[in-house]
Amino acid sequence: IVSRTIGKTTLPAYTFAMSLDNKVDILRETFQLASDHKLQACVDDRGPFPFTTQGVQEAFQLQQSRQVRGKVVVEIQTMPDEPSSSNVH
């Protein structure tokens, strides 16, 4: 948080902190579980919210309500089902 507060008089309203212990064995196990598709993100079922003024405001209101059941997601861009031929390398 220190780097975000240099030259500011107040702390940010929201921030993100990685809470994973940085011990090598824990990191290896976590990355292996992710690689094996055994980790699943907990995402609030009321989203994703559209990347519009109203959608972002609704997402922040939900976050502020503290009634969230997982991560609040704002969809910035819809991902295509299959990559187009111009994106395939």
Side-chain angles (χ1 to χ4, degrees), residues 57-73:
Q57 287 174 343
E58 289 175 6
F60 272 103
Q61 288 169 356
L62 177 60
Q63 187 73 33
Q64 287 178 326
S65 75
R66 297 190 170 265
Q67 301 299 314
V68 178
R69 296 183 300 265
K71 299 294 182 188
V72 177
V73 175

Side-chain angles (χ1 to χ4, degrees), residues 3-70:
S3 64
R4 294 184 185 190
T5 61
I6 294 175
K8 295 185 179 183
T9 58
T10 61
L11 292 174
Y14 299 95
T15 190
F16 173 78
M18 184 70 170
S19 61
L20 187 63
D21 195 350
N22 63 358
K23 293 181 181 175
V24 173
D25 56 330
I26 293 174
L27 289 171
R28 279 194 186 118
E29 182 180 0
T30 302
F31 290 131
Q32 186 62 50
L33 289 168
S35 179
D36 294 342
H37 304 285
K38 293 182 179 179
L39 292 180
Q40 184 176 10
C42 182
V43 178
D44 192 278
D45 59 357
R46 290 166 279 191
F49 293 89
F51 189 57
T52 62
T53 300
Q54 181 179 349
V56 173
Q57 287 174 343
E58 289 175 6
F60 272 103
Q61 288 169 356
L62 177 60
Q63 187 73 33
Q64 287 178 326
S65 75
R66 297 190 170 265
Q67 301 299 314
V68 178
R69 296 183 300 265

